[in-house]
Every structure is written in C-alpha cells, then in structure tokens.
C-alpha cells in the first residue's frame, strides 16, 4: 500500500517494544522454572547445515529448552580479515532458523558497538535472564582451544558452561580439555556434531569458484547469497542453485492440514515464518491487516479465509532494504518491473512477495497472490479481495493516524468500492501533501476510479429520477 511505504504510515504505526535478546525467548525463566538456554556463538559467514545440525544436536544431547544464534558483530579474532557485514550475516541466520520453534536469532552482538567479546555477551544475557536460566555457550572446538586467551575468560567460565562441537580433523584432545578446565575453571562438554565437516570457509570458496552450495545451507540462505551477490556470486550461476524441489522435504501435508491452504495449520505456519521475516511492529501490523481483511470479507460477502491469509502475507517481503528488494526482484525474474519502481523501491515488496510466495507455495490461489501484488500501487479493475487488502492495510487497528477512524467507520455502511475510493483519496492526498512521488499505476488507478465513481453516481441519479 502506497501509504504504508511512502511514509504516511511511518509516523503512525504502533510502537512495539524491541526485544532485548530475541523475539521468541525474551521471557525465558520468568515462571521461575529451571531453563537451559543454548547460545550458538559464531561469525556465521555464512551459516550452514553444520551449524544448524550442531545446534539441534546440542539441544537434544544437553536437554536445552531453546537455542539462540548470536552472530558476532565484529569478531575479536577476525579484525584483519574481511567479514561480511553483520546485518547480512544476521539476516542469513534469521532466514536459517525459520521454522524451528526451538531456535531464534539475536541482534545483541551486532547492535553492540565495538569489538565483540563473548564475556560482554554473556554478561548481557546474565543481566537479562533470571538465575534459573542456565547458559550453555556452544561453539566450535577449535574456537574453544583458544578460549583461555579470550578477554575475561574467567568471567566467561563463571557465566556459562561450554559445549565444544568437534568436527573431523579438529577434535579437542582430552588433555587440552582438561588443561582449559583446570586453568580456566571452565566446564566443557564435548559434542560430536555430524555435518560439521562443512565449514563457512568451504562454502565461501565454493561460491567464489562458481561451484554449487546447494544442500550445504538452507534454501532461504542460498537465495539470499544469490540475491545479494555474496562471496563473489555471479548472477549467471543461478542455475547452479535452481532449487525448486529443495522445499520438497518439508511435509506439505502436515502443514496444509485437512483444511488445505486456507486452514489454520498453514496460517499458523506462515504466521511463525513472518515473525522471523519482518520487524515486530511490521508483524503486528500484518496481524492487524489480516484480522481487518477477514472482518471486511465477512461484511462484504467475500471469502473470509482467503482475505485473512492475504492480509497476513501482504508484507511478506517487507524485511528487505532498497538494495535487497531490487536484488530480490532480479532473482525472482521480475526485474522487468524494476523500471517503473526506479525511484520507489519501497513499493516493490508487493510484486516480489507475490512472486516469492507463488514459488514457495504453489498451492496459493491466484486471487490471493494478485491482492498481495497490487497492495502497494493498486491497479485498474481490482477484485473485491484486492480492494479489501488495500483498504485493510490502511485501517487496521494498529494505525493511529488522523482521518483513519473516518474510514474505519465506513466499513459496512458504504459499498466496498466507495470505501476503497475514500481510502485512495486519503492515501493520495497524503502523498501529495508531503510532496511524495506517486507510482504511475496509482495515478492510473486514481483516474480510473474517479471516472467510475462519476459513472456510478450518474447511474444512481438516473435511477432516482425514474
Ligand atoms: P572461528 O574461529 O571462525 O571458528 C572456529 C571453528 O568453529 C570453525 O571451524 C567454525 O566453523 C566453527 N564454529 C564456529 N561457531 C560454531 C558454532 N556455533 N557451532 C559449531 N561450530 C562453530 O570462530 P568464530 O565463529 O569467529 O567465533 C566463535 C565464537 O567465539 C563467537 O561467538 C565469537 O564471538 C567467540 N569468540 C570470542 C572471542 C573473545 O571473546 N575474545 C574470541 C574468539 C571467538 P565455521 O567457520 O563453519 O563457522
């Protein structure tokens, strides 16, 4: 929706408190029961299946209740080598942990200025969580080998137990382990994690050499690397990772449930995905749009479940920045649309979301994808569902903007197209007032619906005079 992206919404979205550690596990231990929290510390440049398998196996072997991946902001021992920007490594971790309810990713190291020291991180975690939350710092055994040289290693030992993941060729000898335990007062647990023969440097080298990294990391991370051209990725290598069947291992049947794509199981699974794709305030907004769209569908005799899902997914791609969304459009093969969005990349997330969702969930109905595609600009001849999603985006309850209440009051009292027209007046008026660019499609929409409103008014007048 133009309003949202172009800034009218920026000042009037509900402010949600930012999580301290991460969205999912900020409240761990609040009920006083003992909790075991795994901390996956690493550079994750990029994250790969070895890390994920290691976290999962650590969770299982040490009965961890949750595992938080904490990508290092400015890794202490890598100050001289080029490391991918922290935000991109964070984003890859965020994409990788999606779908595992026991995993989440934290920004605490990338948001903390200066060099990243594990002692500072553990202190931050210790201050945040109550004493009944025990911390287990999981990292590679070779990193553990040097732990006595880390800043404040005694403090580290007092705040967390260590889980040292070994990989072929890098086992921590019993002797080294004992030395570290004795001289540093550490408690070290060994974990023989399968899959750790893979390493980030191996993935980087393969990408650089134009070789496939398919199956070495998860699909979403692979897409991200391709879309952002990381590690020397070249566009013409897309074929190497053309991975339409990668998601096939996921059990669609379970996710879809008996009610299919419009059922609660699919809705819930995408809701969980979305919580990791966008900021918390955006997530709350999407839930508001979903609820409002469902209510409007009920009022205007449309499919409530379709509207509910379309509302939920409309901002599926809103987590990308301008560069990211352009790259996403290229990667999705809709770069031909880029020209009309040249100065308005903030509107591209409608078309990219529709294309990405169609690729990832081929079962999604075309009318739903259309509503998502059009929600940023509108289009001539919009369907009732398109109109509902467009309007719901503006009037969902989380928005506190002057004038929106009037639109909310109109639901059910006026025809859907009149409500849309009033919403368009509001949106376009705001853009004009703030001297913002208006997408050419929105201008066309405006002219089209103004003409239609006139025609309908004339037809009504004619009826009245009969
Ligand atoms: P690294 O030297 O790049 O990693 C050493 C080895 O461990 C690599 O084989 C690496 O594989 C593997 N590894 C890294 N993280 C892992 C994890 N969570 N689980 C399993 N294997 C893992 O180490 P790093 O990634 O830079 O640092 C590891 C952690 O130690 C980070 O949290 C970092 O902040 C901390 N650290 C702290 C200090 C300090 O406080 N002074 C100093 C050094 C490290 P991949 O290359 O495939 O990841």
């Amino acid at each position: 929706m133009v309003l949202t992206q172009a800034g009218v919404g920026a000042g009037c979205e509900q402010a949600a408190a930012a999580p301290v550690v991460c969205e999912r596990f900020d409240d761990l231990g609040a009920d006083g029961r003992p909790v075991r929290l795994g901390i996956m510390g690493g550079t994750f440049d990029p994250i790969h299946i070895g890390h994920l398998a290691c976290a999962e196996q650590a969770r299982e072997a040490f009965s961890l209740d949750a595992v938080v991946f904490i990508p290092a902001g400015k890794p202490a021992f890598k100050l001289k080598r080029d490391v991918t920007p922290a935000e991109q490594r964070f984003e890859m971790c965020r994409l990788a942990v999606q779908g595992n309810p026991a995993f989440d990713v934290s920004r605490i190291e990338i948001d903390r200025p200066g060099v990243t020291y594990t002692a500072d991180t553990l202190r931050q975690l210790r201050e945040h969580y109550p004493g009944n939350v025990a911390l287990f710092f999981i990292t590679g055994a070779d990193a553990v080998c040097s732990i006595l040289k880390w800043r404040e290693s005694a403090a580290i030992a007092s705040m967390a137990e260590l889980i040292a993941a070994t990989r072929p060729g890098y086992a921590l000898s019993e002797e080294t382990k004992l030395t570290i335990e004795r001289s540093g007062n550490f408690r070290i647990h060994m974990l023989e994690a399968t899959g750790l023969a893979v390493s980030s440097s191996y993935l980087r080298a393969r990408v650089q050499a134009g070789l496939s990294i398919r199956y070495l990391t998860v699909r979403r991370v692979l897409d991200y690397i391709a879309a952002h051209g990381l590690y020397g990725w070249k566009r013409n290598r897309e074929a190497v990772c053309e991975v339409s069947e990668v998601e096939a291992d996921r059990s669609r049947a379970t996710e879809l449930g008996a009610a299919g794509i419009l059922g609660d199981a699919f809705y819930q699974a995408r809701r969980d995905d979305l919580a990791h794709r966008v900021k918390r305030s955006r997530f709350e907004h999407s839930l508001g749009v979903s609820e409002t769209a469902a209510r409007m569908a009920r009022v205007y005799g449309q499919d409530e479940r379709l509207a509910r899902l379309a509302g939920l997914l409309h901002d599926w791609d809103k987590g990308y920045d301008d560069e990211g969304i352009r790259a996403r459009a290229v990667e999705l093969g809709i770069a031909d649309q880029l020209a009309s969005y040249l100065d308005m990349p903030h509107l591209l997330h409608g078309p990219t979301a529709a294309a990405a969702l169609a690729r990832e969930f081929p079962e999604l109905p075309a009318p739903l994808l259309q509503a998502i595609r059009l929600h940023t600009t509108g289009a001539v001849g919009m369907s009732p569902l398109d109109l509902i999603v467009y309007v719901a985006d503006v009037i969902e309850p989380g928005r506190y903007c002057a004038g929106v209440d009037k639109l909310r009051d109109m639901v059910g009292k006026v025809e859907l197209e009149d409500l849309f027209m009033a919403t368009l007046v509001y949106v376009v008026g705001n853009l004009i007032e703030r001297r913002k660019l208006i997408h050419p499609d929105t201008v066309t929409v405006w002219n089209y619906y103004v003409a239609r409103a006139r025609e309908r008014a004339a037809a009504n007048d004619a009826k009245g005079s009969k």
Side-chain angles (χ1 to χ4, degrees), residues 77 139-150 162 164 170-173 176-177 179-180 188 190:
F77 286 1
T139 194
D142 27 344
V144 169
C145 278
S146 63
I147 202 159
L148 293 174
K149 291 193 215 132
W150 294 9
L162 298 185
Y170 288 91
L172 187 64
S173 71
T176 313
K177 175 178 176 285
T179 309
I180 298 173
I188 304 179
M190 303 303 290

Side-chain angles (χ1 to χ4, degrees), residues 40 44-56 69 195-196 200:
M40 274 293 275
F44 304 122
D45 193 13
I47 189 164
H48 52 69
I49 52 156
H51 296 126
L52 293 162
C54 170
E56 179 66 2
F69 288 68
L196 268 187
S200 300

